[in-house]
Amino acid sequence: MTLIIKPKSEFEVCVEAEITPEIARNLEDAKNFKVYLGKEERRLEELFDLEFVDDREEKVILKGDFSRVKWIGREMKGGEIIVEGNVGMHLGAFMEGGRIVVKGNCDDWVGGMMKGGEIVVEGDTGNRVGCNYWGESEGMKGGRIVIKGNAGNYIGEKMVDGEIVVEGNAGDFVGSEMKGGKIVVRGKAGYTGWDMKGGVIEVGECELSPSFVKDAEGVWRGDVNVKGEGVVRILQD
Amino acid sequence: MSVIYIKGGIVVDPTQGIDGEIMDIFVKDGKIVEESGAGKADTVIDAKGMTVVAGGIDIHAHIAGPKINAGRAMRPEDMKYARNKSGPLRCAMGRVLMTCPAIGYEYARMGYTTAIEPATPALYAIHTHEELDSIPMVDKAVLPLFGNWHLTFKFAAEGDIEKMKAFIAWAIERSKGFGVKVVNPGGVEAWKYGRNVHSLDERIPGFEATPAEVLSTLIKASIELNLPHKVHVHCNNLGVPGSAETTAETIKLAEKIGASKDGRESLHITHIQFNAYTGEKWRDMGSGAEELSKLVNRTPVTVDMGQPIFGHTTTMTADGPFEFALHKLFKSKWINKDVEIETGGGIVPITYRAKSPVNAVQWATGLEFGLLVDADKVVISTDYPNGGPFVEYPYIMTLLMSRKFREKEIEEKGVNSYIEKATSLPSLDVERTFYEIVKMTRSTPAKILGLENKGTLKVGADADITIYPFDCRNVSPEDYEVLLKGLRSVAYTIKDGEIVVKDGEIAKEVWGRTFWVNAVKGATQEIIEEDLNEVFRYYTVSRGNYGVREEWIRRPETIAIEE
Ligand SMILES: [Zn+2]
């Protein structure tokens, strides 16, 4: 089934709503799904209008302003979420499968520690896309994040596997302490490759860490400071 | 305050020799009272089929102060687990390291009503009290660290018991502390030169004293001062093969000195598991628990287990050189701290793995102590957070009560079979009775701490009560699942005469007292004036600004020792 969710009002404080396509399976469960308005526990239908379309999908459509709604798609394993506007922090954190499409912009922490599935953002995102949460030693471990606009600082920190594609520009610290996987920034990026241990970065133009060495094929390898075997290809070199 | 009748419960109270009798308990104005003095009940709890015991007491858990706070900052990945995030209670976070509200709530939900923070530099006691004041639900106290303080070394070297008495009394008054904690005496000082001390008779760098002299003078002074809780020691050589020998020598020091004036023990060896390994290398490491338990049982010494729990945790101790060794061993993050002329400390995250032979031996060794030491002398602890979260006490209680559960855990967790060779645990058929478990979590720690109104259901005692949702006379070691479930989720916790937990959930947030000991009348303070003024030339704070004033503490309660 498809579940269409619309906020009943503007939210004065942030809402934490770990909405996944699984909740579209049953109307009663969806109505009673636990969410938090600040520190108060609420049922989903208290804060949002819910509409069900009886089809063969497992799908959630978010309509309206979700820019203060956090943790959408957390740990989601399958199905699809379509966000028609903007969305708040931690979209698709720990995601394992399925697909999230955002027609607007995202806040920070898109796909934090994601393991699988796909996130497509048609607008821009904030900082820390596909990163590790504070204190964790590994960031994104699989799946794919595509950002059609621009991304903020810290893209793919401590990334282990998977792929992040930014069609526009990115900020500072792309692929810091990256261990594997691939990051593509088609436009410009700031500081790139700091303490990179492995994986591949392709970037239009960037401020590469000085501790990289150019090989015979014109590919930069490093970060030598950490005996890294990362590869950076600067497309406009 | 209200009057509560607890009707028809099955009461277990070792302090009165009551083992599973159906009785009524009456509570009024925060105390346990006679029926005749109770008056009309505001609340009647029908405890039929339930077990009524005193509130639990944690004798050793690092719940407040600079160490756990630095640990929280160092491990944001441990802090992101939400235990409570909505409702009238405060946000409670943390997997093993927890926030202050989480610590209070989890103790209460487990039926515990008192907890002792066992290691704070007196210099930082102000911070520790601020944090203790942020922990709801439980009564608490803090033990300042003496074992590496320059003044301790000086008075130990001079063998001056009178000065040591004056110094102890001064320091616990200034820090609003409860007793004397010693961590690796001399070793933390040696660590400031990149070294450690390896035996009780080695000279401490820069001083004329040895760890044995430090311990002996502190024990003698504590006995003479009549402190309610005597010396609480984390022995030298902690956490290495061969440490069992050092522990045995430490116990013998106390044996030589003898018991306290009131007949109670004169030394508490904390988290003894971590200090009880035989062998010379990790490869031939084994458990010294059998021998040490025999020694503890016949000497004026008590212990707590320091039971490791398989899984993630964070170690934190004033034992700086030990933490450095852990950091080298596991290549994990590390914090080191030097506390002026008082002490030091370190923090390192670790994981106890059932399949690791070393961790398996540690796990088995802790349990051996829990099974082999007299229930009047051993207290359940994990040395939170060093061995793991205190919320696992019900799990430890069940392991001690059921051999079948131990066998199941060994099988299911795949505990390394090296324990068959290196420990006696697999062959031990000891099963603790519920009565003994109540001792090990209530009356024994209360006795060791000298808290007469705790750990008992006697008339006049503090109305700190746990009601378990099962009949302790009917659960057999075979039903370990029932036992574990019942111990994990109490029916009621009553704190100072108020129901604070009902059916495993917090019913009311309350604020406990902070006990501190005033023993200044027990010693001549003037004799250390010059010594104090001399060391304060080297402190970052002046003597006038050193310490914690009673009015800064939320609910202080003085235990005054009259000479
Ligand atoms: Zn400890």
Side-chain angles (χ1 to χ4, degrees):
Chain A
M1 283 188 286
T2 299
L3 173 60
I4 300 165
I5 307 180
K6 283 184 208 157
K8 284 190 167 162
S9 62
E10 263 182 47
F11 298 120
E12 226 175 282
V13 293
C14 285
V15 173
E16 298 189 14
E18 299 175 9
I19 294 167
T20 63
E22 270 175 44
I23 72 162
R25 286 178 194 167
N26 178 308
L27 180 58
E28 278 314 300
D29 288 354
K31 282 180 180 170
N32 292 316
F33 186 73
K34 244 197 266 173
V35 296
Y36 296 89
L37 176 65
K39 69 174 290 198
E40 290 167 25
E41 193 178 302
R42 296 291 171 86
R43 293 182 302 117
L44 190 65
E45 68 165 358
E46 290 179 70
L47 302 184
F48 299 91
D49 287 321
L50 307 180
E51 189 190 320
F52 262 82
V53 183
D54 203 356
D55 54 21
R56 307 185 133 264
E57 312 260 354
E58 188 167 295
K59 187 169 172 181
V60 171
I61 300 174
L62 307 181
K63 285 193 171 161
D65 183 15
F66 278 75
S67 58
R68 309 202 77 181
V69 183
K70 303 184 201 174
W71 299 108
I72 300 286
R74 179 180 168 140
E75 285 178 43
M76 101 179 222
K77 293 179 178 68
E80 192 174 18
I81 297 178
I82 311 280
V83 186
E84 300 209 329
N86 299 336
V87 67
M89 285 201 272
H90 307 293
L91 177 86
F94 307 105
M95 179 173 175
E96 290 173 22
R99 190 160 188 265
I100 303 177
V101 178
V102 181
K103 303 271 168 72
N105 302 325
C106 296
D107 207 327
D108 293 349
W109 295 103
V110 170
M113 294 179 74
M114 166 176 184
K115 291 183 203 141
E118 187 182 33
I119 301 177
V120 178
V121 181
E122 295 189 354
D124 300 334
T125 69
N127 307 304
R128 299 198 69 80
V129 174
C131 283
N132 60 312
Y133 278 100
W134 305 125
E136 299 284 359
S137 58
E138 294 183 340
M140 181 169 170
K141 283 188 177 169
R144 191 160 186 266
I145 302 175
V146 179
I147 298 157
K148 304 220 167 136
N150 301 320
N153 299 322
Y154 292 101
I155 307 303
E157 181 176 326
K158 294 194 172 82
M159 179 171 177
V160 176
D161 207 349
E163 188 180 13
I164 302 174
V165 179
V166 182
E167 308 257 349
N169 303 323
D172 284 330
F173 299 115
V174 173
S176 297
E177 294 184 69
M178 183 173 174
K179 301 165 195 212
K182 187 176 182 186
I183 302 176
V184 180
V185 180
R186 297 213 201 280
K188 274 195 239 173
Y191 295 130
T192 295
W194 254 254
D195 284 355
M196 184 174 177
K197 295 196 180 91
V200 176
I201 300 176
E202 288 179 5
V203 54
E205 114 184 45
C206 76
E207 186 99 29
L208 182 65
S209 161
S211 44
F212 274 71
V213 176
K214 203 174 198 175
D215 71 9
E217 289 131 53
V219 169
W220 293 91
R221 293 179 187 273
D223 178 331
V224 297
N225 281 340
V226 292
K227 300 195 183 81
E229 288 164 10
V231 169
V232 178
R233 280 193 203 96
I234 298 177
L235 304 173
Q236 286 159 26
D237 237 8
Chain B
M1 290 242 183
S2 59
V3 175
I4 304 173
Y5 291 3
I6 304 165
K7 302 280 275 183
I10 301 116
V11 173
V12 177
D13 180 8
T15 66
Q16 302 183 81
I18 300 169
D19 185 7
E21 278 174 44
I22 294 178
M23 291 171 73
D24 298 340
I25 302 274
F26 303 91
V27 170
K28 186 185 182 181
D29 296 340
K31 297 281 176 188
I32 293 171
V33 296
E34 303 272 13
E35 180 172 11
S36 56
K40 200 175 159 294
D42 298 299
T43 312
V44 177
I45 296 173
D46 178 10
K48 205 186 291 166
M50 299 196 223
T51 303
V52 182
V53 297
I57 301 170
D58 196 338
I59 199 170
H60 188 109
H62 301 270
I63 53 173
K67 279 199 295 293
I68 182 159
N69 214 37
R72 290 175 182 128
M74 179 197 203
R75 298 209 68 188
E77 74 277 20
D78 206 69
M79 297 308 298
K80 67 172 191 247
Y81 288 74
R83 289 172 179 270
N84 177 63
K85 56 180 177 181
S86 66
L89 298 174
R90 286 176 295 152
C91 168
M93 302 289 291
R95 176 176 59 178
V96 178
L97 299 177
M98 288 179 235
T99 56
C100 296
I103 288 171
Y105 298 155
E106 294 300 338
Y107 269 127
R109 292 179 62 222
M110 201 169 62
Y112 269 59
T113 49
T114 305
I116 309 298
E117 153 58 44
T120 216
L123 180 59
Y124 298 149
I126 177 73
H127 170 163
T128 308
H129 281 291
E130 292 271 2
E131 255 186 74
L132 288 175
D133 270 356
S134 302
I135 298 175
M137 317 308 280
V138 290
D139 286 339
K140 50 246 165 173
V142 51
L143 304 178
L145 290 155
F146 283 83
N148 290 280
W149 206 332
H150 285 192
L151 280 175
T152 304
F153 296 151
K154 181 167 188 283
F155 302 144
E158 292 163 1
D160 195 332
I161 305 290
E162 286 308 312
K163 278 193 171 183
M164 193 67 102
K165 278 164 65 182
F167 171 55
I168 290 173
W170 172 83
I172 58 178
E173 189 282 325
R174 285 289 74 210
S175 58
K176 297 299 170 286
F178 189 77
V180 175
K181 174 67 183 300
V182 179
V183 171
N184 186 4
V188 182
E189 177 63 22
W191 174 236
K192 293 175 185 181
Y193 306 88
R195 306 208 296 269
N196 200 349
V197 293
H198 299 284
S199 87
L200 287 178
D201 298 315
E202 197 176 312
R203 202 176 61 86
I204 298 162
F207 293 86
E208 290 305 319
T210 64
E213 287 162 354
V214 167
L215 280 164
S216 298
T217 33
L218 284 170
I219 296 169
K220 286 177 192 161
S222 305
I223 293 174
E224 288 199 19
L225 275 175
N226 261 327
L227 296 182
H229 180 45
K230 302 303 181 300
V231 172
H232 190 119
V233 66
H234 155 142
C235 294
N236 297 91
N237 281 331
L238 177 131
V240 295
S243 51
E245 206 183 307
T246 312
T247 306
E249 285 166 13
T250 309
I251 293 171
K252 285 173 188 159
L253 285 179
E255 186 183 22
K256 227 165 98 187
I257 295 165
S260 303
K261 291 181 200 166
D262 57 8
R264 290 186 299 134
E265 289 84 353
S266 56
L267 184 67
H268 181 74
I269 309 251
T270 191
H271 43 71
I272 190 167
Q273 174 278 128
F274 286 113
N275 238 96
Y277 313 138
T278 56
E280 281 171 7
K281 290 254 149 48
W282 289 111
R283 290 177 50 193
D284 66 354
M285 168 240 206
S287 161
E290 267 189 301
E291 287 305 307
L292 282 173
S293 296
K294 280 184 208 152
L295 190 57
V296 169
N297 286 343
R298 67 168 177 80
T299 50
V301 167
T302 54
V303 302
D304 64 81
M305 290 164 65
Q307 177 64 32
I309 303 292
F310 294 127
H312 297 282
T313 193
T314 306
T315 64
M316 49 185 66
T317 153
D319 199 339
F322 169 67
E323 290 291 350
F324 179 69
L326 278 185
H327 161 64
K328 283 297 202 192
L329 202 62
F330 298 114
K331 299 181 176 61
S332 42
K333 333 186 220 195
W334 171 52
I335 287 177
N336 181 64
K337 177 82 184 162
D338 177 3
V339 186
E340 303 190 17
I341 62 164
E342 291 189 3
T343 180
I347 307 173
V348 172
I350 57 165
T351 305
Y352 294 103
R353 296 174 207 280
K355 294 193 168 55
S356 142
V358 170
N359 296 158
V361 168
Q362 293 181 305
W363 184 81
T365 304
L367 293 172
E368 284 178 281
F369 282 111
L371 294 166
L372 295 172
V373 178
D374 290 348
D376 293 313
K377 281 173 163 273
V378 59
V379 181
I380 289 177
S381 78
T382 59
D383 185 16
Y384 170 77
N386 290 296
F390 61 80
V391 296
E392 293 300 342
Y393 290 172
Y395 168 75
I396 299 172
M397 296 179 203
T398 311
L399 285 171
L400 296 176
M401 289 173 75
S402 168
R403 183 175 184 182
K404 205 170 151 192
F405 185 49
R406 296 198 290 271
E407 283 166 354
K408 182 205 140 229
E409 284 295 285
I410 290 170
E411 172 80 27
E412 272 184 16
K413 298 228 157 98
V415 178
N416 195 300
S417 62
Y418 180 61
I419 60 168
E420 286 162 25
K421 209 171 98 185
T423 81
S424 69
L425 185 78
S427 61
L428 277 180
D429 56 12
V430 181
E431 287 181 330
R432 290 295 198 182
T433 61
F434 186 76
Y435 187 79
E436 287 174 314
I437 291 293
V438 173
K439 280 189 173 181
M440 292 162 72
T441 52
R442 272 88 180 164
S443 54
T444 301
K447 180 200 69 173
I448 298 170
L449 292 165
L451 291 171
E452 286 163 4
N453 291 324
K454 299 286 181 199
T456 174
L457 296 173
K458 278 183 190 154
V459 167
D462 292 342
D464 294 352
I465 301 167
T466 315
I467 305 179
Y468 287 118
F470 56 83
D471 181 343
C472 64
R473 299 167 307 179
N474 295 342
V475 285
S476 81
E478 303 287 307
D479 305 326
Y480 55 79
E481 270 164 19
V482 179
L483 203 53
L484 183 60
K485 193 164 161 263
L487 290 167
R488 275 199 200 281
S489 177
V490 302
Y492 292 91
T493 304
I494 295 172
K495 176 85 196 75
D496 283 330
E498 290 188 88
I499 295 173
V500 295
V501 172
K502 194 166 182 256
D503 298 327
E505 295 305 326
I506 304 293
K508 187 179 182 197
E509 184 177 81
V510 294
W511 296 95
R513 288 165 284 172
T514 302
F515 297 109
W516 71 276
V517 170
N518 189 340
V520 289
K521 284 190 185 156
T524 319
Q525 288 299 308
E526 295 74 44
I527 59 175
I528 56 164
E529 274 302 299
E530 257 179 57
D531 298 295
L532 286 174
N533 290 334
E534 168 67 16
V535 295
F536 272 100
R537 291 171 53 200
Y538 308 105
Y539 263 105
T540 53
V541 279
S542 67
R543 201 177 149 192
N545 288 330
Y546 187 89
V548 183
R549 287 200 210 145
E550 193 169 25
E551 62 265 32
W552 295 344
I553 298 173
R554 193 192 283 264
R555 280 188 69 198
E557 184 160 319
T558 318
I559 298 174
I561 313 291
E562 306 297 341
E563 181 57 348

